[in-house]
């Protein structure tokens, strides 16, 4: 074997070895909807990750990137009425089950609801109608590392205010209450834009959940109307197995209302009162609960916060079994008396349905409104906007 031939063989072997090493140490995450090219620090043993999109959780790992207008969009997008006082545009990737809705007012105000554009704490991405995440980096409103514009967010013409964060949502068996099944664990069965006339928008996503060995189908619909500061989410769960399934469903958030990353100033509120301590509310006498960035004197805080408020409203005919504000998820009472809402990062609002049992073929349904509250200029206190739930 000649020296040149040996060099060529060794070179080929080296190239193949390096390629194999790179393929095992570099992960690739590409979608039909390309928003750019981004190189991230790797996780779980990988050196690098190459992707065509960014979630807020990924942005801090960014090494290099360039956003571009998508080459190909699997979306429905219909800006309408730009000569009117308000108009909506949205983007929905029906294959990956993610996108956003944006309502813009002529005076410069905006409300954005990001959907399924986040990475959960288990490192996986959900697909479907789950509030959370940030805009794609090719969008004109995208601001790198500005987490105030993530989740559900409001722009008053000067700055973005955080309204809701990534939803903390899951289903669990009462026999294993510390092993919830989160949206990113569910099998995504597809999504569709059911209505889009420029004023009304309806999107559907479907999922399959295996809970304690029993298959459950979960069907979700989102309804949004131009000019609203809330969405309606309906959820139907059907037992597709041959055995009964016992479950409880949790929906909640540590919303960091006003400013992302901080629960300081956050107190609860209902139609009749502010909630300054950990509290459950009577779900039969109330139809909603919210959080208000106001300042809690029981936590040594003055009333010098942003004044942004949110709300969760339920259908009175299918109300949750529990609604609460707390310093931890799951409930509101741990000690002999109510504790002040004082956690710097974890003042939470939560709803719970169940425990309940679904027999084979049986379904369970609930509807909620998730949104931003108005502020009464006379009192400075929040007021829930009228929604399509519980109209008299």
């Amino acid at each position: 074997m000649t020296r040149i031939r040996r060099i060529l063989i060794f070179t080929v072997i080296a190239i193949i070895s390096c390629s194999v090493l790179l393929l095992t140490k570099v992960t690739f995450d590409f979608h039909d909807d390309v928003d750019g090219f981004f190189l991230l620090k790797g996780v779980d043993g990988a050196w690098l990750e190459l992707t065509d999109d960014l979630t807020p959780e990924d942005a801090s790992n960014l090494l290099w990137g360039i956003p571009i207008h998508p080459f190909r969009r699997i979306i429905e997008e219909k800006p309408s009425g730009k000569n009117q006082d308000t108009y909506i545009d949205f983007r929905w990737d029906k294959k990956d089950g993610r996108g956003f809705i944006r309502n813009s007012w002529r005076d410069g105000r905006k409300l954005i609801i990001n959907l399924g554009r986040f990475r959960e704490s288990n490192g996986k991405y959900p697909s479907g109608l789950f509030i959370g995440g940030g805009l794609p980096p090719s969008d004109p409103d995208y601001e790198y590392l500005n987490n105030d514009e993530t989740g559900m967010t409001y722009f008053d013409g000067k700055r973005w205010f955080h309204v809701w964060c990534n939803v903390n949502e899951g289903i669990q068996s009462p026999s294993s209450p510390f092993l919830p099944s989160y949206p990113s664990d569910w099998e995504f069965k597809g999504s569709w834009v059911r209505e889009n006339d420029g004023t009304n928008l309806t999107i559907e996503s479907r999922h399959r959940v295996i809970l304690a060995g029993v298959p459950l189908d979960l069907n979700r619909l989102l309804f949004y109307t131009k000019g609203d500061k809330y969405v309606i989410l309906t959820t139907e769960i059907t037992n597709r197995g041959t055995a009964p399934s016992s479950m409880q469903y949790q929906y909640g958030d540590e919303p960091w209302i006003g400013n992302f990353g901080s629960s300081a100033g956050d107190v609860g509120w209902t139609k009749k009162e502010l909630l300054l301590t950990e509290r459950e509310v009577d779900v039969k006498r109330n139809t909603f609960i919210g959080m208000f960035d106001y300042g809690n004197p029981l936590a040594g805080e003055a009333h010098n916060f942003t004044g942004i408020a949110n709300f969760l409203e339920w259908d009175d005919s299918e109300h949750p079994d529990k609604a609460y504000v707390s310093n931890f998820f799951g409930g509101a009472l741990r000690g002999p008396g109510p504790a002040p809402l004082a956690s710097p990062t974890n003042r939470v609002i939560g709803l719970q349905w169940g425990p309940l049992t679904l027999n084979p073929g049986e379904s369970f349904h609930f509807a909620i409104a998730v949104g931003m509250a108005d502020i009464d200029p006379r009192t400075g206190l929040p007021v829930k906007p009228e929604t399509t739930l519980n109209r008299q």
Side-chain angles (χ1 to χ4, degrees):
M1 182 182 298
T2 66
R3 182 173 180 273
I4 294 177
R5 188 177 180 185
R6 286 198 302 270
I7 292 173
L8 288 174
I9 292 173
F10 290 149
T11 300
V12 170
I13 291 174
I15 292 173
I16 293 174
S17 299
C18 289
S19 299
V20 170
L21 182 62
L22 284 174
L23 287 174
T24 59
K25 292 296 183 180
V26 178
T27 57
F28 300 89
D29 183 22
F30 284 88
H31 311 85
D32 289 326
D33 199 1
V34 179
D35 279 279
F37 297 98
F38 306 96
L39 191 64
L40 311 176
K41 291 184 289 186
V43 296
D44 298 328
W47 290 346
L48 301 169
E49 178 179 348
L50 185 62
T51 181
D52 59 0
D53 197 358
L54 281 179
T55 66
E57 294 80 11
D58 296 329
S60 60
N61 290 325
L62 182 66
L63 298 174
W64 173 88
I66 180 170
I68 58 174
H69 291 293
F71 295 131
R72 177 170 175 257
R73 288 183 171 182
I74 309 300
I75 64 171
E76 304 278 349
E77 189 167 11
K78 190 176 182 179
S80 64
K82 288 194 175 184
N83 59 340
Q84 300 176 10
D85 288 337
T86 180
Y87 67 93
I88 59 173
D89 66 284
F90 77 102
R91 180 168 157 185
W92 184 252
D93 183 330
K94 61 184 179 181
K95 181 178 179 181
D96 289 318
R98 62 184 186 178
F100 65 88
I101 302 166
R102 173 169 41 216
N103 191 96
S104 301
W105 287 266
R106 181 181 286 184
D107 61 10
R109 292 175 297 129
K110 298 178 183 181
L111 181 79
I112 294 176
I113 305 112
N114 293 290
L115 299 162
R117 293 192 49 81
F118 61 99
R119 189 197 292 254
E120 291 190 321
S121 57
N122 59 11
K124 297 186 292 185
Y125 302 94
S127 293
L129 297 167
F130 308 105
I131 293 173
L135 290 168
S138 63
D139 189 86
D141 278 326
Y142 176 83
E143 296 181 11
Y144 178 65
L145 293 181
N146 180 11
N147 285 316
D148 281 336
E149 67 166 5
T150 60
M152 184 182 291
T153 178
Y154 175 69
F155 183 69
D156 70 349
K158 297 179 180 179
R159 60 155 288 188
W160 294 95
F161 294 91
H162 205 240
V163 181
W164 288 101
C165 203
N166 298 345
V167 64
N168 289 283
E169 183 171 4
I171 188 169
Q172 59 202 103
S173 170
S175 62
S176 303
F178 300 107
L179 294 174
S181 177
Y182 297 112
S184 61
D185 298 320
W186 305 346
E187 180 185 359
F188 179 57
K189 305 292 286 187
S191 67
W192 303 266
V193 175
R194 295 301 191 190
E195 179 184 21
N196 173 27
D197 63 8
T199 297
N200 298 294
L201 174 64
T202 304
I203 310 175
E204 177 182 16
S205 67
R206 295 185 178 181
H207 312 264
R208 170 62 62 90
V209 184
I210 305 298
L211 187 68
V214 179
L216 307 173
D217 281 349
L218 190 148
N219 184 36
R220 171 156 287 176
L221 288 168
L222 177 147
F223 302 90
Y224 182 73
T225 298
K226 181 175 69 173
D228 286 345
K229 293 180 182 178
Y230 67 90
V231 296
I232 300 291
L233 294 174
T234 70
T235 303
E236 183 177 63
I237 303 172
T238 303
N239 183 342
R240 296 301 185 190
T242 58
S245 176
S246 296
M247 71 183 72
Q248 56 190 35
Y249 201 95
Q250 307 276 354
Y251 190 101
D253 195 5
E254 73 282 24
W256 293 337
I257 183 80
N259 296 301
F260 178 90
S262 173
S263 287
D266 297 356
V267 300
W269 71 283
T270 67
K271 183 177 181 179
K272 296 182 178 180
E273 63 179 328
L274 296 180
L275 309 176
L276 305 183
T277 64
E278 296 182 332
R279 284 273 300 278
E280 289 188 17
V281 304
D282 188 328
V283 296
K284 295 181 180 179
R285 294 186 177 182
N286 295 274
T287 59
F288 74 90
I289 190 172
M291 296 201 86
F292 179 28
D293 194 29
Y294 180 65
N296 188 348
L298 299 184
E301 297 167 346
H303 300 314
N304 55 358
F305 291 85
T306 64
I308 299 294
N310 64 23
F311 71 94
L312 282 177
E313 182 180 14
W314 52 87
D315 188 330
D316 191 41
S317 65
E318 48 191 18
H319 58 75
D321 293 281
K322 182 189 295 185
Y324 62 89
V325 290
S326 181
N327 292 301
F328 68 104
F329 278 104
L333 296 174
R334 288 181 292 182
L341 290 174
S343 171
T345 59
N346 203 47
R347 302 181 202 184
V348 304
I349 180 172
L351 306 179
Q352 178 180 310
W353 288 263
L356 58 91
T357 298
L358 289 182
N359 293 314
E362 191 175 6
S363 296
F364 161 66
H365 176 276
F366 66 88
I368 56 175
V370 185
M372 176 180 172
D374 298 318
I375 300 298
D376 186 331
R378 298 168 300 173
T379 65
L381 298 176
V383 178
K384 184 188 72 63
E386 182 181 4
T387 74
T388 54
L389 298 178
N390 306 308
R391 282 182 174 170
Q392 300 299 321

